[in-house]
Amino acid sequence: FFFFKQKTAYEISACLVGSEMCIRDRYKSWFFIMTSKTNFKQVPERPNFVSEEEEILEYWEKINAFETQLKKTSDKPQYTFYDGPPFATGLPHYGHICAGTIKDVVTRYATQKGHYVERVFGWDCHGLPIEQIIDEKLGIKSKHDFKNVGVVKYNNECRQVVMKYSGEWKKIIKRLGRWIDFDNNYKTMDLNYMESVWWVFKQIWDKKLVYRGAKVMPYSNACNTVLSNFEAGQNYQDVFDPSVYVTFPIKNDPETKFLAWTTTPWTLPSNLALAVNPCLLYTSDAADDLLCVDLGGRRIIKK
């Protein structure tokens, strides 16, 4: 490029001829000709963004961009990013894609700030999603059916279905442009992984940082276990439930019982007590073999 210093207040205009640029003043006298050329490709008026993305991904793979980045930053301070692995029982959905993009942005930014960021893909192999697949496959509908199958066979069936969609996951994550190591992935069903989790828990226990608490959780009577929000919503249905009356015996007089009415009978298995108002007077009245009175929606009965 050739540059000039304008000494007069002439108006400058420019014209592009092929790859050369000419600049002239208002009196059409040429100042210079810029003859340098660039290596940039001409951008089409309507670029194909899909093919452009695929070319970039192909180029990254060709030069081993991710692996090279890890190698060049191996002596930098380490940045640890805890990534919750997805369930291995289905294909990725928009939630995985959105979260995965955010995770990729965070780890790339940490690398650009001068850190070494190891990124390894993992698989969550525990929980009801896998068990539900096996239950359907083996026709298990009760504990009796499960006992006939046996724990060993059941666990083997679960292990076999875990990596069913791994190929599709790798393909989609790669297409998104996320840099992460799939070849050295970990699985929560691996013994070394489970042993490491127990080791960490033991360290926390020794430091007296573990406490026992109580929390209201969704519960499955069939599975004899609490459910995560995801699991509880898997078979969500709108159903009609009857309202019910329930008796609550008084602790020092078991024959006398409070009568409660509820429109949420599914809460009764976890119900431990009945709240009463100490400022109200509760009375009873004879009605056949029951003593009952309705006092603002509160009833007490006695046989």
Side-chain angles (χ1 to χ4, degrees):
F1 291 90
F2 301 92
F3 297 93
F4 70 96
K5 184 176 182 181
Q6 183 181 359
K7 296 183 179 180
T8 62
Y10 292 153
E11 294 179 0
I12 303 299
S13 61
C15 63
L16 184 63
V17 181
S19 61
E20 297 182 350
M21 179 169 285
C22 309
I23 300 179
R24 56 186 177 178
D25 63 14
R26 60 186 296 183
Y27 299 107
K28 301 182 181 180
S29 59
W30 298 102
F31 274 94
F32 69 91
I33 298 178
M34 186 170 59
T35 59
S36 62
K37 298 181 179 181
T38 67
N39 294 324
F40 293 107
K41 296 188 302 182
Q42 184 177 0
V43 179
E45 183 179 351
R46 295 183 178 180
N48 187 327
F49 293 107
V50 174
S51 62
E52 291 290 337
E53 292 174 356
E54 292 174 345
E55 286 183 15
I56 293 175
L57 294 175
E58 185 179 350
Y59 176 70
W60 284 351
E61 186 173 2
K62 179 180 178 181
I63 65 173
N64 294 322
F66 176 49
E67 294 79 3
T68 303
Q69 182 194 73
L70 292 177
K71 185 177 180 180
K72 288 188 173 183
T73 58
S74 59
D75 58 340
K76 304 295 182 181
Q78 187 170 8
Y79 178 88
T80 302
F81 184 83
Y82 293 102
D83 181 3
F87 280 111
T89 53
L91 296 173
H93 53 69
Y94 69 91
H96 296 116
I97 293 173
C98 179
T101 302
I102 296 173
K103 295 171 182 177
D104 192 46
V105 170
V106 171
T107 51
R108 283 175 183 264
Y109 177 76
T111 301
Q112 293 173 348
K113 295 290 288 185
H115 292 86
Y116 171 75
V117 188
E118 185 179 16
R119 284 151 278 180
V120 180
F121 201 84
W123 301 99
D124 188 347
C125 309
H126 293 91
L128 290 181
I130 292 179
E131 295 178 9
Q132 288 177 332
I133 294 176
I134 302 307
D135 287 350
E136 183 176 350
K137 177 181 178 181
L138 302 180
I140 297 176
K141 298 181 179 179
S142 65
K143 292 182 179 179
H144 180 73
D145 296 335
F146 174 78
K147 291 180 179 179
N148 290 336
V149 172
V151 175
V152 175
K153 181 179 179 180
Y154 192 87
N155 284 347
N156 288 335
E157 292 286 346
C158 288
R159 291 189 184 97
Q160 292 176 12
V161 78
V162 161
M163 304 307 295
K164 180 179 180 180
Y165 300 102
S166 60
E168 291 298 322
W169 269 88
K170 184 175 182 179
K171 179 181 178 181
I172 294 175
I173 297 300
K174 178 183 176 181
R175 179 63 183 84
L176 291 172
R178 183 180 177 185
W179 285 4
I180 194 165
D181 184 0
F182 262 94
D183 296 331
N184 299 304
N185 63 78
Y186 69 90
K187 308 175 188 65
T188 59
M189 68 178 180
D190 295 339
L191 289 178
N192 57 354
Y193 179 88
M194 289 188 284
E195 289 171 354
S196 67
V197 172
W198 280 110
W199 179 86
V200 170
F201 186 79
K202 177 63 164 54
Q203 306 307 307
I204 300 175
W205 175 268
D206 291 341
K207 295 178 181 180
K208 301 187 183 302
L209 297 175
V210 180
Y211 68 93
R212 183 186 296 272
K215 184 178 180 181
V216 177
M217 295 287 293
Y219 188 85
S220 170
N221 291 318
C223 300
N224 292 327
T225 182
V226 295
L227 302 174
S228 66
N229 290 334
F230 171 75
E231 293 166 342
Q234 278 191 311
N235 192 33
Y236 185 86
Q237 299 179 20
D238 288 325
V239 298
F240 291 97
D241 280 299
S243 62
V244 297
Y245 290 92
V246 186
T247 58
F248 290 81
I250 298 177
K251 187 174 182 180
N252 57 1
D253 185 9
E255 291 300 319
T256 302
K257 305 172 184 178
F258 282 93
L259 183 65
W261 175 65
T262 177
T263 58
T264 56
W266 59 85
T267 63
L268 292 175
S270 61
N271 193 294
L272 302 177
L274 180 70
V276 295
N277 192 332
C279 298
L280 290 179
L281 178 63
Y282 291 83
T283 60
S284 61
D285 197 2
D288 297 330
D289 59 340
L290 296 177
L291 295 178
C292 178
V293 67
D294 190 334
L295 182 61
R298 301 170 180 83
R299 296 182 179 183
I300 183 170
I301 62 174
K302 184 173 183 179
K303 287 188 177 183

